Amino acid sequence: MKKLGQLNTLRNQILIGFMLVMVIVLASVGYFTYGQVSVLLRNSAEKHIQQTAVQAMGKLDVLLGQIDTLTAQVATNASIQRLLTQEIFGNKIHFEERQSLQQEARKYEAYVTGIRAFEMYSSDYRRLFPLDDISLESRVPKEWIDQADNGKGRLVWLGFDPQDANVVIAIRHIRLVDRSFIHAGYLVVYIEKSYFELTNAVAENENETREHMALFDGAGQEIFSDLAVDASEENILDHGEEAITVGDESYIAIEQQSKETGWKLAILTPVNYATAGISVLRTAILVSGAVGGLLFLVLSFILSTMITRPILNLIKAMRGARFGTLKANPNTSSTMEINELNHTYNQMVDSLNELIEVVYQKEIIQSRAELKALQAQINPHFLFNTLEAFYWELDDKGEEDLAKVVLAMSGLFRYVINRTEDDEWVTIGDELEHAERYLRIMEMRMVDRLSWRIEAAEACRTVPVPKLLIQPLVENAILHGVEQRVGPGTVVLRAEPSSREGFMRVTVTDDGPGMDAAALESLQAFMKEGYVSSNKGTGVGVSNVERRLRLYYHAAGSGLCIESELGRGTSVTFDIPYRLEGNEKDEDYLSRG
């Protein structure tokens, strides 16, 4: 039970709570990141494979188009058309004319390196060249001739030469252009198998992805393949998105089919290439999670110690009260709540000790009156000295952010509390520095919800202005603008020359929720009455600025100009002269400056 009670301490509860939150957050972020990024990596790999397949099929279409164009030129050659016309109308082509046909055809063979030979047959399947009497029916299967007839003059790709497995055959039905496109014969073209090698289409990515490709004709025979092992059409094609195994390695197969020939092109990409990025991502997430968990554990331990140590010190001080000794706890904490608790305890100790002393001396009423009188006479410099003491203490302890806030507060109070008559007028530069200190304090409170910037022309910084004229507008922009919007907001403070001759303009802009026309009209009406109704306060600061502007610049200025649009933020602007004639304070301030 004692050990269980020791585990149930505030420090252990904080540590366990932080660890649970850390595990949930890291697990959620890791799971979400892994899922999203793995999908992106997989889609990127698939897109790359698809692009490679499209490039390869494009090259194949170019190769086929070259053959198609060349055979069309041969079939429509004027000499060939003339001799075939003679053959159709009963005048058999003589041996010399067949030689000229062969010579005309061979002129085109040099245009494409992959063509092994051209052959031409008459409409009754008799070979015209080469110069022998072999029949087309004895050269190719009858169904191939029927396919060529059905092609109606289009180049028909058929398959491998029955007599040579390294040659692909295509047949074009020759028609007479000047004779209503009647059937006149057949042009057979023999193409080397190596002509269809498409390795260069993926050469740029070959070293990176080790992609392979295979080309099959309409009958499923392999025309080209750069795989190290033999692979049939059944092993590669028509597997959808499933991985296939060729040899000892698994591949993802992407298929493309030629519209002209019906041939199928398969791009094979190793599965480990598509999943390589996912494995690296998994390892990175696990390592990041482990490092983040270790850092979080150490920081949680330090933070829990920082929170619980001042409480333990306070408990030790309070235990002394059982022995009749009331002593204040001299320790301080950087945590506001704990520091307030310690301060409250010290106040209680002071009050109790004071009451005891008053009872003993029977002067309780007089002591209270004297205490109030002393508190009312405390010099404001005591506050400044105290804040500066806090600043140096925090700076020594490494609390730089809190130290900067305390320093800003000291400057803020010194600027506000100093109430000498000569300090009624200041410069725009002084006002901007005061607003900057206020913004830094608010930035510390709101963390990343507030961003701000001050833009001031150097010519405007020396212009005299009544004290505390700008900071209330900045406070209003944060209170009613940034704090009212969802997410971070921005406040912009500008001091720049006005479009009015001899005037400068001060503008405070926020990107808060803004106001509609009715709300803006109501605001302007309330400002004339000296207050502004708001769920955040009465708006005395803005009304005070409006009244003081009209009081000091009744003949030169026009008060506050408020522009706002619902959902677009609010802009508050006022113009003041560079030099206010007839104002003794202004004249005196300028002479001293």
Side-chain angles (χ1 to χ4, degrees):
M1 291 297 294
K2 184 176 181 180
K3 291 183 178 179
L4 181 61
Q6 291 177 349
L7 290 175
N8 194 27
T9 61
L10 177 60
R11 177 179 179 177
N12 291 337
Q13 288 177 354
I14 293 174
L15 186 60
I16 293 172
F18 283 175
M19 289 302 300
L20 289 176
V21 172
M22 178 271 297
V23 170
I24 294 173
V25 170
L26 290 181
S28 301
V29 172
Y31 178 80
F32 177 80
T33 303
Y34 178 79
Q36 295 296 318
V37 178
S38 61
V39 170
L40 291 176
L41 291 175
R42 192 177 295 109
N43 291 342
S44 177
E46 292 176 358
K47 183 178 179 181
H48 170 77
I49 298 171
Q50 288 286 358
Q51 289 177 344
T52 302
V54 171
Q55 292 174 1
M57 182 54 68
K59 181 177 180 180
L60 177 62
D61 290 338
V62 170
L63 296 176
L64 297 175
Q66 290 177 349
I67 302 296
D68 182 79
T69 302
L70 191 63
T71 56
Q73 292 175 353
V74 175
T76 57
N77 180 272
S79 299
I80 294 176
Q81 288 274 312
R82 178 177 55 79
L83 293 174
L84 289 179
T85 302
Q86 175 182 327
E87 175 75 15
I88 286 296
F89 288 93
N91 297 323
K92 296 297 182 181
I93 301 176
H94 301 297
F95 181 82
E96 293 81 9
E97 293 174 329
R98 290 172 62 186
Q99 283 183 323
S100 65
L101 273 177
Q102 185 171 4
Q103 291 175 357
E104 288 293 335
R106 285 181 175 175
K107 291 178 181 178
Y108 294 94
E109 290 181 4
Y111 288 102
V112 178
T113 58
I115 295 179
R116 176 175 290 187
F118 282 112
E119 291 181 359
M120 186 172 292
Y121 296 83
S122 64
S123 59
D124 57 358
Y125 307 145
R126 182 170 50 87
R127 184 149 73 180
L128 300 177
F129 69 81
L131 305 176
D132 53 31
D133 295 324
I134 296 177
S135 171
L136 180 60
E137 290 179 307
S138 65
R139 190 69 181 83
V140 298
K142 182 63 172 61
E143 57 266 27
W144 286 14
I145 300 175
D146 295 336
Q147 292 181 34
D149 292 337
N150 294 331
K152 299 179 180 181
R154 181 172 51 86
L155 183 65
V156 178
W157 295 87
L158 299 171
F160 289 102
D161 186 354
Q163 299 179 7
D164 190 349
N166 292 319
V167 175
V168 177
I169 292 180
I171 299 178
R172 179 181 289 276
H173 198 180
I174 302 177
R175 293 174 177 269
L176 299 179
V177 177
D178 297 331
R179 299 291 179 175
S180 301
F181 295 95
I182 62 175
H183 173 44
Y186 301 89
L187 177 64
V188 181
V189 58
Y190 297 85
I191 304 101
E192 295 286 350
K193 183 179 177 180
S194 59
Y195 177 73
F196 301 98
E197 290 184 2
L198 304 174
T199 306
N200 291 335
V202 294
E204 295 179 357
N205 301 321
E206 194 173 36
N207 296 331
E208 179 181 346
T209 65
R210 296 185 295 117
E211 292 174 339
H212 302 281
M213 61 174 52
L215 181 64
F216 300 91
D217 64 8
Q221 300 182 60
E222 178 185 301
I223 297 177
F224 162 73
S225 174
D226 62 352
L227 290 167
V229 297
D230 293 332
S232 63
E233 179 190 29
E234 292 77 11
N235 293 337
I236 296 178
L237 300 180
D238 301 324
H239 286 277
E241 297 181 356
E242 298 178 358
I244 62 173
T245 301
V246 178
D248 296 330
E249 190 166 4
S250 296
Y251 295 89
I252 296 176
I254 300 296
E255 301 176 17
Q256 293 283 334
Q257 187 171 16
S258 173
K259 296 180 181 179
E260 296 294 329
T261 63
W263 296 354
K264 292 182 178 180
L265 175 68
I267 302 294
L268 304 180
T269 303
V271 173
N272 56 10
Y273 163 71
T275 59
I278 299 177
S279 301
V280 174
L281 173 65
R282 186 188 303 113
T283 302
I285 290 178
L286 292 176
V287 172
S288 300
V291 174
L294 180 62
L295 290 176
F296 202 97
L297 178 62
V298 173
L299 294 176
S300 298
F301 180 82
I302 296 174
L303 183 59
S304 62
T305 302
M306 292 174 60
I307 294 176
T308 56
R309 180 175 295 171
I311 297 178
L312 294 176
N313 293 334
L314 183 59
I315 291 175
K316 292 179 182 178
M318 294 176 67
R319 286 175 179 171
R322 294 184 300 176
F323 305 101
T325 303
L326 292 176
K327 293 184 179 180
N329 182 20
N331 298 315
T332 58
S333 173
S334 59
T335 304
M336 183 180 299
E337 290 79 6
I338 296 177
N339 210 36
E340 183 64 24
L341 179 63
N342 187 69
H343 180 65
T344 302
Y345 170 75
N346 290 339
Q347 283 186 330
M348 181 188 68
V349 170
D350 292 340
S351 298
L352 289 176
N353 287 331
E354 181 184 348
L355 287 174
I356 293 172
E357 183 68 20
V358 168
V359 169
Y360 282 135
Q361 297 179 8
K362 298 181 181 180
E363 297 176 353
I364 185 170
I365 299 177
Q366 182 179 356
S367 296
R368 286 180 177 175
E370 292 176 354
L371 179 61
K372 290 181 180 180
L374 290 173
Q375 290 175 344
Q377 296 173 3
I378 294 178
N379 192 297
H381 289 286
F382 173 76
L383 176 60
F384 305 152
N385 295 336
T386 302
L387 289 175
E388 289 184 3
F390 282 157
Y391 166 76
W392 292 114
E393 182 69 16
L394 292 172
D395 187 70
D396 290 340
K397 292 185 176 182
E399 299 288 346
E400 296 180 358
D401 291 337
L402 287 177
K404 291 179 180 178
V405 172
V406 170
L407 186 62
M409 289 179 61
S410 176
L412 200 71
F413 290 148
R414 190 181 300 274
Y415 187 87
V416 174
I417 293 176
N418 193 351
R419 297 182 178 274
T420 62
E421 277 193 358
D422 293 336
D423 202 38
E424 181 182 356
W425 284 76
V426 295
T427 63
I428 288 291
D430 295 334
E431 282 288 277
L432 294 179
E433 290 177 2
H434 179 61
E436 181 179 358
R437 287 191 289 267
Y438 176 77
L439 285 167
R440 292 190 183 280
I441 294 173
M442 297 304 294
E443 184 182 30
M444 180 67 180
R445 181 176 72 85
M446 300 178 68
V447 194
D448 57 349
R449 285 197 58 205
L450 172 64
S451 60
W452 56 271
R453 65 179 186 273
I454 297 176
E455 303 172 359
E458 289 297 325
C460 298
R461 288 185 172 272
T462 58
V463 176
V465 67
K467 190 175 182 180
L468 295 178
L469 202 63
I470 297 178
Q471 185 269 336
L473 302 181
V474 175
E475 178 180 359
N476 192 68
I478 295 175
L479 190 67
H480 299 284
V482 176
E483 287 191 350
Q484 300 302 312
R485 63 171 283 145
V486 177
T490 304
V491 174
V492 180
L493 173 57
R494 294 189 180 91
E496 57 190 356
S498 173
S499 58
R500 300 170 60 184
E501 184 68 20
F503 282 76
M504 64 160 290
R505 174 166 295 174
V506 176
T507 305
V508 179
T509 305
D510 67 79
D511 57 355
M515 296 175 285
D516 56 17
L520 183 59
E521 183 177 356
S522 176
L523 171 64
Q524 292 172 345
F526 284 137
M527 285 174 54
K528 294 180 180 180
E529 298 177 8
Y531 70 95
V532 178
S533 178
S534 169
N535 58 358
K536 285 283 187 177
T538 60
V540 174
V542 177
S543 177
N544 181 276
V545 173
E546 167 72 9
R547 296 184 65 182
R548 286 199 294 152
L549 281 172
R550 295 189 179 277
L551 179 64
Y552 286 106
Y553 304 100
H554 57 87
S558 58
L560 294 178
C561 177
I562 302 178
E563 296 178 356
S564 183
E565 186 177 349
L566 199 61
R568 301 292 295 274
T570 303
S571 177
V572 180
T573 305
F574 64 87
D575 289 354
I576 59 174
Y578 285 106
R579 184 182 183 90
L580 186 59
E581 299 294 335
N583 191 307
E584 297 179 358
K585 292 290 185 180
D586 185 15
E587 296 290 335
D588 181 65
Y589 187 84
L590 289 173
S591 63
R592 290 187 289 107

